[in-house]
Amino acid sequence: MCNFEGTGLGASRSTCSDYKGKIRFMQKDDILRLMRDPNLIPLEKQTLLSNIADQASALNMPCYLVGGCVRDLWLRRPVNDLDVIVEGDAIQLGKSLVEVYGGKLTPHFKFNTAIWHLPASTEFVDLITARKETYEKPGALPTVASSTIEDDLRRRDFTINAMALRLDGEGLGEILDPLKGHADLGRGVIRVLNPNSFMDDPTRIFRAIRYEGRYGFLMDAGTAALVNPDSLKTLHSLSGERIRHELDLVLDEEQAAVMMLRIADLGLLPAIHPVLPEFDPNLSDYLEMETHLDVPGDRRTMGYMLWFINLGEADVLLLANRLDFTNELTLAVWAAAQLKRGLPHLIGSTPSIWTYAVEKLPLISIYAVYLVSREKALLDYISFWRHVRPHTTGNDLKTMGLPPGPRYGEILERLRAAWLDGVLSTKSEEEELLNQLLAEPD
Ligand code: ATP
């Protein structure tokens, strides 16, 4: 059993992960072995790290890997982004890397950080100057000043993300863990570093929920208690863009449905917006987009459509505004909700009526409504009907002497409808119908 230390949070929704008991303390040699495992850090990235470490040594700057990459290495999970921190000037380090190895540097003078874009590659590395942060008011962005690695670890969100791994010189492979993140990894616990953490930055509540769901961990009792009316209130002052970014990251996760339930259980939904509904966990399988149907779209768009599919038009628009949706996302979500509502009126219609009703809507919205309703006509539309066109073209009508005007569109539409509804099955039948239509008075 996991030790939830009296959190009062049952393990019903989140199972304790396989990690428990396996996160033993490691010696330097064990860490070095993990750092050299190409399944955890690809070989090119290993070379990159050693190049960075060499340059940092030459400049006398202690240099570390920090945050999620140390956590994931310890969990023996493949490391995605490399966050490199120096006690010194990250921009100066970046400049010397460009001098020796090439590539391009994008410096950010405000935070003294830099992005090093590697030569002949789309890869990049974040180079960060160790810093400390203070928050002037809840939900605001912090004020920062250069500092030591220890201070930098103390500005982080959770103990499991506040470990550093030294990269340069003799120190290579040493772990800095002043906040006992390693012990919390072993216990499967997400723990904030100070009681104001969620007030200072309420996006951390979403981050905690993501780590819980992803690793099967739980917040410790003290941390869970900090998700309270006071910290939830600060969600109001978070911009739509920042909240949507957090929700996007949730939707990207394999365990998105578990995380969505936790978001609802912890009372985040009304704190974000009073009309925000719960995500129906039964729909989570549909987040995986099937590709063989050739429907362009992505997991996030699908996620928001499924989430809001039972809402009325006004609520969809309120939420699109609160979450700062792009126009494209708003259209997709609105169309899915509208089509779902309109379905009872369409059921039993002819293929041409279905086609006429849905063809202006984004394909991904139609697909979402198909997934939740299993209405076969929608699948027929996506698979076949949308491709149906008569043989006759506008050019043919012109050649036949039809004067320019709206009849072009009407005739082509009627021919198409006849094909869709099975009235026509051969080219000569189409020609016969075309002649009848041309003979009709305007
Ligand atoms: P993921 O695997 O989800 O990408 P990550 O830990 O790599 O997780 P990032 O968002 O890339 O997350 O952040 C990198 C590191 O920066 C974190 O590990 C954490 O130490 C720190 N960090 C990120 N966001 C915050 C925050 N809101 N407050 C404090 N520290 C943060």
Side-chain angles (χ1 to χ4, degrees), residues 66-69 71-72 80-81 83 133 135 153 155-158 160-163 197 201 203-204 207 210-211 214-215 242 245-246 249 253:
V66 283
C69 44
R71 175 199 70 218
D72 285 342
N80 293 320
D81 302 329
D83 287 331
E133 292 181 346
Y135 289 83
L153 295 178
R155 77 178 168 87
R156 287 168 186 273
D157 46 4
F158 307 110
I160 61 166
N161 285 343
M163 295 181 281
S197 188
D201 179 357
T203 62
R204 292 174 182 158
R207 296 176 62 81
R210 282 204 302 275
Y211 297 128
R214 189 193 303 163
Y215 302 126
R242 289 186 74 194
H245 176 66
E246 296 303 323
L249 295 179
E253 296 270 350

Side-chain angles (χ1 to χ4, degrees), residues 301-341:
T301 305
M302 183 54 87
Y304 289 111
M305 287 191 302
L306 295 171
W307 193 0
F308 298 169
I309 206 153
N310 291 319
L311 295 184
E313 183 172 27
D315 287 350
V316 168
L317 297 179
L318 282 172
L319 292 173
N321 191 35
R322 172 67 182 106
L323 299 176
D324 203 16
F325 281 1
T326 60
N327 289 344
E328 199 183 356
L329 182 57
T330 304
L331 175 64
V333 173
W334 170 86
Q338 290 294 98
L339 178 57
K340 168 92 190 316
R341 291 203 133 198

Side-chain angles (χ1 to χ4, degrees), residues 3-21:
N3 174 11
F4 298 128
E5 300 186 309
T7 57
L9 299 168
S12 54
R13 284 194 167 166
S14 202
T15 52
C16 198
S17 72
D18 291 343
Y19 299 120
K20 173 125 168 62

